[in-house]
């Protein structure tokens, strides 16, 4: 046993009558047939067969060794030191050894940060599509959400540099950002938020003064995650530039200069955060820090927005991972804990609560891979996919991150009082879940982006409607009546979004309209997946999830009507069971009253 581990894994097994077991020792990949099904749908067979052993390996680590590392790293948070032992003003952040183990897995063994940028990782001769990359994101973040930020911003820095940087900058910094050799890796950071404005980027006050072939930065950044990153992308206003976002440039700032000395900026302090406590977030003060312009100075905000959109997709996947981990924990409790002479999973009210955990989790999984697939197709040159991505990304980010807070809270409650104790994962999941709906834009900001910009300005709703209709056309084995119902809901949701986007005084409905697009999109995706998966292995359960979305997340219910009729109970029985469900059974339930 590794020295960082102890005997927590055997505690519940040795005393089954005392506590319901947790997920310790679970292989998160093997425990998730839906993940396997969706990867088979979205990836070429050769690539799927190549990555499956690696996913299996990560699934085992995430449920065992890495999970213990995550617990320790969360308890033993980073410490900022202002001087070294000789009294020199050399800042450094001290991390617990468990955090370093998490880094070795994420950046070293699996190279999650570089899968879509660097060829040859894990023996695959090419770069990985985004769908494959985010399968690893999904599994890793079930064990450690905090590390997800350094992974994501390192990936984002490399993409920005690759897309907009000069050949000289790429030659100097790109290899380090995509390394899987830990001795050569240079992690990235993204410093954007300032005291004067978070989402209102145009009000930033950090300035850049040109000095020969480089620039000097002055000012402060208020919330900088991965605070000691070796390569940082940030926005600053070049001296003499105009106001607003058009006057903002994108800059690369190294942590160390050529001679090895630290660049001219200080980490003022580290943030004391609710969640993601393993990862260092800090306040940064620039005192003439040397930086280099990336791309066109008047396009800095637009260029950084590409990184933000990619980060929003990653954020949605990470929140989905938290929900899946919470779902695993709740089901483990429900299947093993006996109360009043019955297993929890056999009690009607508990079954209803489990469905409230399962349904948003499966919705988010479907929407995550739908969005990742759109990004893959957009990067291959599809303009339709690019338009689709423009609406799917903020829609996923808005709803999945909000659902994660509720799902993780309900899973904690399923375990009861000990779910509130930090020795179990549920408390950490709930703390971490609250970051998702803040990171890369709060719910209001992202809903406005989805409606005002994606729909109102770019007309991306047409691409979404076309994609959803095409998926329904491609689902011939799904009952016609159900496809017709989903077509009607698609048209109504898109029509409502257009109405909201058409007038500024409708902004108060932007959140509701974005949620409806998400729910209808997931209902269609689940139906399309259900038909395809039934063809692969005879299981149409995801079609039942499609109906549950319509019944419980779209239709307005009568509060005085019993929610659990015979049809709903039959659907719940199928979804909480472990056997395949045939199309005939599902077809009857889809159209039942």
């Amino acid at each position: 046993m590794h020295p960082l581990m102890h005997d927590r894994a055997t505690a519940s097994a040795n005393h089954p009558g005392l506590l319901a077991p947790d997920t310790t020792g679970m292989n998160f990949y093997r425990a998730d047939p839906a993940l396997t099904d969706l990867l088979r749908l979205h990836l070429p067979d050769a690539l799927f067969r190549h990555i499956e052993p690696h996913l299996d390996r990560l699934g085992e680590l995430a449920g065992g060794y890495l999970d213990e590392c995550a617990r320790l790293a969360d308890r033993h948070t980073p410490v900022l030191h202002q001087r070294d032992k000789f009294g020199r003003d050399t800042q450094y952040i001290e991390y617990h050894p468990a955090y370093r183990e998490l880094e070795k897995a994420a950046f070293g063994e699996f190279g999650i940060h570089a899968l879509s940028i660097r060829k040859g990782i894990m023996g695959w001769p090419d770069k990985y599509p985004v769908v494959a990359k985010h399968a690893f994101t999904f599994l890793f973040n079930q064990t450690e959400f905090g590390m997800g930020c350094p992974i994501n911003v390192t990936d984002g820095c490399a993409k920005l540099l690759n897309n907009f940087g000069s050949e000289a900058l790429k030659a100097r910094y790109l290899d380090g950002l995509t390394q899987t050799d830990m001795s050569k890796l240079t992690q990235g950071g993204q410093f954007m938020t300032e005291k004067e404005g978070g989402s209102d980027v145009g009000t930033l006050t950090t300035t850049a003064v040109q000095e020969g072939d480089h620039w000097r930065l002055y000012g402060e950044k208020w919330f900088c995650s991965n605070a000691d990153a070796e390569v940082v992308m940030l926005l600053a206003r070049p001296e003499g530039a105009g106001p607003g976002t058009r006057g903002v440039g994108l800059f690369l700032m190294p942590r160390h200069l050529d001679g090895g000395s630290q660049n001219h900026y200080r980490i003022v302090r580290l943030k004391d955060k609710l969640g993601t406590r393993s990862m260092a977030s800090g306040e940064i003060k620039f005192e003439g820090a040397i930086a280099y312009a990336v791309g066109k100075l008047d396009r800095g905000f637009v260029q950084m927005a590409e990184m933000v959109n990619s980060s929003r997709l990653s954020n949605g996947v990470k929140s989905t991972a938290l929900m899946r981990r919470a779902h695993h924990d709740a089901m483990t409790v429900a299947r093993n804990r006996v109360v009043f002479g019955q297993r929890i999973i056999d009690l009607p009210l508990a079954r209803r609560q489990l469905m409230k955990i399962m349904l948003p989790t499966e919705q988010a999984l479907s929407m995550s891979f739908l969005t990742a697939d759109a990004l893959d197709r957009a990067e291959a040159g599809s303009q339709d996919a690019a338009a689709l991505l423009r609406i799917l990304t903020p829609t996923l980010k808005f709803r999945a991150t909000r659902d994660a807070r509720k799902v993780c809270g309900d899973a904690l409650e399923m375990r009861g009082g000990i779910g509130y104790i930090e020795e179990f994962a549920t408390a950490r999941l709930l703390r971490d879940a609250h970051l998702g709906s803040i990171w890369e834009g709060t719910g209001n900001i992202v809903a406005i982006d989805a409606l005002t910009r994606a729909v109102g300005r770019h007309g991306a709703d047409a691409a979404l409607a076309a994609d959803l209709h095409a998926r329904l056309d491609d689902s011939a084995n799904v009952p016609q009546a159900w496809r017709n119902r989903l077509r009607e809901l698609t048209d109504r949701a898109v029509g409502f979004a257009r109405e909201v986007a058409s007038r500024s005084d409708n902004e108060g409905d932007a959140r509701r309209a974005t949620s409806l697009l998400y729910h209808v999109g997931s209902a269609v995706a689940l139906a399309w997946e259900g038909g395809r998966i039934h063809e692969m292995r005879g299981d149409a359960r995801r079609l039942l999830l499609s109906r549950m979305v319509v019944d419980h997340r779209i239709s307005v219910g009568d509060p005085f009507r019993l929610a659990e009729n015979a049809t709903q109970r039959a659907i719940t029985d199928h979804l909480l069971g472990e056997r395949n469900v045939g199309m005939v059974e599902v077809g009857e339930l889809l159209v039942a009253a």
Side-chain angles (χ1 to χ4, degrees):
M1 181 175 288
H2 193 281
L4 288 174
M5 298 288 283
H6 55 70
D7 61 354
R8 290 175 69 244
T10 60
S12 54
N14 290 339
H15 303 281
L18 296 179
L19 297 173
D22 64 6
T23 57
T24 300
M26 178 182 288
N27 184 315
F28 290 153
Y29 177 71
R30 296 184 187 180
D32 196 349
L35 174 60
T36 302
D37 286 337
L38 296 192
L39 291 175
R40 286 185 181 276
L41 288 181
H42 288 290
L43 293 178
D45 184 61
L47 177 56
F48 170 75
R49 286 188 282 106
H50 176 81
I51 66 171
E52 187 172 37
H54 300 284
L55 293 171
D56 187 70
R57 161 80 172 155
L58 179 55
E60 179 183 10
L61 287 171
Y65 175 58
L66 292 181
D67 194 42
E68 179 64 3
C69 289
R71 187 187 73 86
L72 289 170
D74 180 77
R75 296 293 293 273
H76 302 279
T77 56
V79 177
L80 173 63
H81 296 278
Q82 298 291 352
R83 289 186 167 189
D84 68 12
K85 63 184 178 182
F86 298 106
R88 293 173 297 196
D89 290 328
T90 302
Q91 287 190 321
Y92 66 97
I93 298 176
E94 178 185 356
Y95 296 91
H96 190 273
Y99 185 83
R100 297 304 191 191
E101 291 296 303
L102 291 164
E103 285 183 322
K104 289 178 185 176
F107 290 96
E109 180 172 355
F110 298 102
I112 302 172
H113 66 298
L115 290 178
S116 293
I117 305 172
R118 191 182 188 105
K119 296 180 179 181
I121 297 176
M122 291 183 291
W124 186 248
D126 206 343
K127 302 172 185 177
Y128 289 87
V130 178
V131 167
K133 176 180 77 172
H134 281 317
F136 289 91
T137 302
F138 177 66
L139 285 175
F140 186 87
N141 280 268
Q142 288 179 49
T143 193
E144 167 55 11
F145 191 77
M147 181 68 67
C149 178
I151 296 169
N152 184 68
V153 292
T154 302
D155 180 13
C157 282
K159 284 182 177 176
L160 283 174
L161 180 58
N162 188 57
N163 291 344
F164 305 111
S166 66
E167 292 304 316
L169 280 181
K170 284 191 278 190
R172 189 171 180 181
Y173 294 108
L174 188 57
D175 181 70
L177 286 168
T178 61
Q179 273 287 345
T180 58
D181 182 337
M182 297 301 291
S183 67
K184 299 177 181 178
L185 171 70
T186 52
Q187 290 187 34
Q190 171 192 322
F191 298 173
M192 287 183 63
T193 306
E194 298 191 4
K195 297 175 187 177
E196 292 76 16
S199 299
D200 189 3
V201 178
T203 63
L204 67 80
T205 60
T206 300
T207 58
V209 179
Q210 191 163 16
E211 187 180 273
D213 64 348
H214 60 263
W215 296 73
R216 294 274 186 175
L217 301 179
Y218 300 90
E220 291 188 44
K221 295 292 183 181
W222 181 238
F223 204 108
C224 305
S225 291
N226 212 18
D228 58 343
E230 285 295 323
V231 178
V232 175
M233 289 288 184
L234 55 84
L235 296 176
R237 195 177 306 281
E239 191 175 38
T245 56
R246 291 191 177 183
V248 170
L250 177 65
F251 295 88
L252 181 152
M253 180 184 70
R255 176 79 173 136
H256 292 92
L257 302 177
D258 289 343
S261 62
Q262 289 190 358
N263 204 346
H264 306 289
Y265 67 92
R266 291 187 295 115
I267 305 171
V268 178
R269 64 173 176 171
L270 298 184
K271 298 289 194 181
D272 185 9
K273 297 174 292 183
L274 172 67
T276 64
R277 298 178 66 86
S278 63
M279 180 266 300
S281 301
E283 298 167 19
I284 307 293
K285 188 169 185 178
F286 307 112
E287 300 167 328
I290 291 175
Y292 304 93
V294 177
K296 297 180 179 179
L297 284 178
D298 62 349
R299 299 284 292 174
F301 176 77
V302 174
Q303 292 166 176
M304 181 65 90
E306 290 197 15
M307 180 176 176
V308 170
N309 281 332
S310 178
S311 183
R312 284 177 174 176
L313 167 56
S314 179
N315 195 348
V317 175
K318 293 179 178 69
S319 292
T320 306
L322 292 177
M323 286 190 271
R324 176 60 89 210
R325 175 65 185 276
H327 175 240
H328 283 324
D329 194 80
M331 292 298 291
T332 300
V333 172
R335 286 173 174 155
N336 292 280
R337 179 74 167 151
V338 175
V339 294
F340 308 114
Q342 288 182 279
R343 294 186 311 160
I344 288 176
I345 199 170
D346 297 323
L347 301 173
L349 198 55
R351 292 173 75 78
R352 183 168 173 79
Q353 186 171 348
L354 287 169
M355 286 306 306
K356 288 184 175 182
I357 293 170
M358 175 189 285
L359 185 60
T361 302
E362 299 297 347
Q363 283 184 273
L365 186 64
S366 293
M367 291 297 283
S368 290
F369 283 108
L370 199 69
T371 308
D373 178 68
L375 178 54
D376 279 326
R377 290 187 286 122
E379 291 186 343
S382 170
Q383 293 300 310
D384 290 339
L388 177 63
L389 183 69
R390 185 64 187 84
I391 184 66
L392 283 179
T393 301
T395 301
L396 169 69
K397 197 280 183 187
F398 172 76
R399 189 69 262 164
T401 58
R402 300 184 64 77
D403 285 346
R405 301 185 332 211
K406 180 69 164 58
V407 166
C408 291
D410 281 355
L412 182 151
E413 184 181 8
M414 186 64 71
R415 187 169 284 281
I418 59 171
Y420 196 69
I421 305 303
E422 292 284 356
E423 289 177 293
F424 290 86
T426 42
R428 174 162 49 92
L429 295 177
L430 182 57
R431 287 191 284 106
D432 287 349
H434 282 268
L435 176 62
S437 54
I438 299 171
W439 184 11
E440 307 296 12
T442 61
N444 287 348
I445 292 296
V446 178
I448 289 171
D449 184 34
L451 270 293
T452 303
R453 298 187 183 94
V455 175
R457 188 177 303 168
H458 299 289
D461 49 292
L464 177 62
D467 183 83
L468 298 182
H469 276 286
R471 290 183 189 278
L472 292 172
D473 291 340
D474 192 36
S475 303
N477 58 341
V478 174
Q480 183 68 48
W482 189 244
R483 284 188 285 155
N484 291 342
R485 175 76 170 127
L486 293 178
R487 283 194 180 91
E488 174 202 3
L489 290 170
T490 296
D491 293 341
R492 291 182 65 189
V494 170
F496 182 65
R498 287 170 178 161
E499 181 181 359
V500 172
S502 66
R503 293 177 47 164
S504 60
D505 57 357
N506 290 338
E507 185 179 292
D509 286 313
R511 294 163 70 101
R512 185 159 59 98
T514 305
S515 289
L516 282 170
L517 291 177
Y518 179 86
H519 294 321
V520 169
S522 64
V524 172
L526 286 162
W528 176 78
E529 293 161 0
R532 291 296 188 89
I533 294 167
H534 183 264
E535 292 175 357
M536 288 193 307
R537 60 180 186 87
D539 188 7
R541 274 185 296 182
R542 291 189 85 75
L543 266 170
L544 295 179
L545 288 166
S546 175
R547 163 142 188 183
M548 293 292 276
V549 171
V550 172
D551 286 354
H552 294 284
R553 310 213 72 183
I554 298 175
S555 301
V556 178
D558 180 352
F560 299 103
R561 186 184 65 198
L562 291 175
E564 290 290 316
N565 57 31
T567 298
Q568 289 296 318
R569 285 193 292 272
I571 292 174
T572 297
D573 289 344
H574 283 313
L575 291 173
L576 293 180
E578 298 183 67
R579 69 174 184 85
N580 288 358
V581 184
M583 186 64 75
V584 173
E585 299 167 277
V586 168
E588 293 172 352
L589 291 171
L590 285 178
V591 297

